[in-house]
Amino acid sequence: MEKIDKLLNNILSLGLPEDVLKNPSIVIEGHKVVKEVPYPGILLEKKVLDDRIKVSLKVLPNITVEKPVHMCLSKLSPGDQLIDINIDIGENSKVKIVSHCAFKGKNIKHISRTNFRVRKGASLEVSEIHYHEKDIDILIDAKSEGVVEEKGSYKSLFKIDSNNAGKVRIEYTVDILDYATADIETKIAGRDGDDIYVKDIMYLKGKYSKAIAKSRLMALGNTKAEFYGETYGFGDYSRGHIDCSEIVRGNEVTVKAIPIVVVNNETAKVTHEAAVGSIDKKQLETLMAKGLDEDEAVDVIVKGMLG
């Protein structure tokens, strides 16, 4: 027990909120489940293999989960963490999942593959918030694929805004059926040496389906950041929008923002906007006049812009 408490305190030291261990949760360090708090109406299964861990989370029909379900994924030493996650939200159910990812050390690989299904009339909201040690050496390779059924809703947020992001590869692919909605948002701040790649693919297959893919990437110093957003308007009266914005600071940065829209239905409508800009000089000077050095002022602006 003392060993587990020490591990949990080590995870929390990276800045995670303490209630992550109080609400319905599962805490995984590497490929080992170190803590689990059950909740009525949620079926949680785990299977540890030689090279990965598999997690299945199923919410029964007609269940509203009042508190966020916390999934804490951590790797506090060199090595790989491979996780396969399957999420199934029953008809007319509602749940919010907050995935806190804590990483510390060098030569770390975090590879996750998530499949999800939001059934008819159900709602799933997922937030993945990363907490990294300063100067971390990490590869993040995360892919999510799923289906939002009739009148269902899916909302996703992926966020890294403190210390180095590392080498990041994020991909979402979502099928949106009749009257369903999907909202995907990515917020990442990259610093010296970071390499960020984000790709969102939305298939508006159902009539009156709606989707938005939103990206906010910041490239500070020697950083590469790329966003590719693809939205396909197939369903009758479907609506989609791609919104990508990138902020650069320094002369050794490379950024790309590429929205792609495809429509093969005369009643569908898909729009896009893309912008690349810099940190507001006046805002930076105001913060420095209040006693912050330049790096501290940039961090304040980054956190404010990424929310």
Side-chain angles (χ1 to χ4, degrees), residues 16-17 19-20 23-26 57 67-73 87 95-101 124-131 155 157:
L16 281 74
D19 65 354
V20 68
N23 290 332
S25 62
I26 179 171
L57 187 152
K67 295 182 179 180
V69 177
H70 289 280
M71 296 182 66
C72 180
L73 310 177
I87 300 173
V95 65
K96 179 178 181 179
I97 299 173
V98 181
S99 180
H100 297 278
C101 299
L124 170 62
E125 183 176 346
V126 180
S127 296
E128 182 170 336
I129 314 298
H130 280 238
Y131 301 82
K155 186 174 183 179
L157 169 66

Side-chain angles (χ1 to χ4, degrees), residues 161-176:
D161 69 354
S162 61
N163 296 325
N164 287 80
K167 186 172 183 179
V168 183
R169 297 289 180 270
I170 307 295
E171 293 188 25
Y172 288 91
T173 304
V174 186
D175 291 346
I176 305 107

Side-chain angles (χ1 to χ4, degrees), residues 254-274:
T254 302
V255 298
K256 290 182 181 180
I258 303 176
I260 298 173
V261 298
V262 179
V263 174
N264 70 354
N265 186 315
E266 66 178 3
T267 66
K269 183 178 181 180
V270 180
T271 57
H272 68 81
E273 56 183 307

Side-chain angles (χ1 to χ4, degrees), residues 12 23 26 44 60 69 73 93 116 128-129 147 175 191 207 250 272 278 281 296 299 306:
L12 291 174
N23 290 332
I26 179 171
L44 190 62
L60 299 177
V69 177
L73 310 177
S93 289
F116 66 88
E128 182 170 336
I129 314 298
V147 178
D175 291 346
R191 292 169 172 81
K207 58 188 177 184
H272 68 81
S278 59
K281 185 178 180 181
E296 291 171 336
D299 283 343
L306 297 185

Side-chain angles (χ1 to χ4, degrees), residues 77-262:
S77 59
D80 300 347
Q81 182 182 59
L82 286 74
I83 300 181
D84 295 337
I85 301 173
N86 185 74
I87 300 173
D88 188 345
I89 311 302
E91 289 190 7
N92 301 312
S93 289
K94 183 177 182 180
V95 65
K96 179 178 181 179
I97 299 173
V98 181
S99 180
H100 297 278
C101 299
F103 299 108
K104 188 176 183 180
K106 303 292 184 180
N107 299 316
I108 296 174
K109 291 182 181 179
H110 168 75
I111 301 173
S112 66
R113 297 292 180 265
T114 301
N115 284 282
F116 66 88
R117 179 171 288 272
V118 181
R119 298 190 182 272
K120 183 178 179 179
S123 173
L124 170 62
E125 183 176 346
V126 180
S127 296
E128 182 170 336
I129 314 298
H130 280 238
Y131 301 82
H132 293 182
E133 182 185 44
K134 189 175 181 180
D135 299 322
I136 193 169
D137 175 17
I138 187 170
L139 165 67
I140 298 170
D141 182 350
K143 294 182 180 180
S144 296
E145 297 184 8
V147 178
V148 187
E149 295 185 0
E150 182 181 351
K151 297 182 179 179
S153 68
Y154 170 70
K155 186 174 183 179
S156 174
L157 169 66
F158 184 99
K159 181 178 177 182
I160 308 174
D161 69 354
S162 61
N163 296 325
N164 287 80
K167 186 172 183 179
V168 183
R169 297 289 180 270
I170 307 295
E171 293 188 25
Y172 288 91
T173 304
V174 186
D175 291 346
I176 305 107
L177 306 187
D178 292 352
Y179 300 97
T181 63
D183 183 338
I184 295 177
E185 185 171 12
T186 305
K187 297 180 177 183
I188 303 176
R191 292 169 172 81
D192 293 332
D194 289 343
D195 186 343
I196 301 164
Y197 174 94
V198 178
K199 188 173 186 177
D200 297 337
I201 305 175
M202 315 280 264
Y203 293 104
L204 293 159
K205 294 184 175 182
K207 58 188 177 184
Y208 293 98
S209 55
K210 296 179 181 180
I212 181 169
K214 186 176 181 180
S215 170
R216 295 291 181 267
L217 303 181
M218 304 193 72
L220 312 173
N222 180 24
T223 301
K224 181 179 179 181
E226 300 181 22
F227 171 78
Y228 296 85
E230 302 178 17
T231 298
Y232 297 83
F234 296 152
D236 291 345
Y237 301 99
S238 58
R239 296 290 185 266
H241 183 66
I242 302 171
D243 176 3
C244 45
S245 178
E246 300 188 2
I247 300 295
V248 301
R249 178 172 173 78
N251 296 320
E252 297 183 5
V253 298
T254 302
V255 298
K256 290 182 181 180
I258 303 176
I260 298 173
V261 298
V262 179

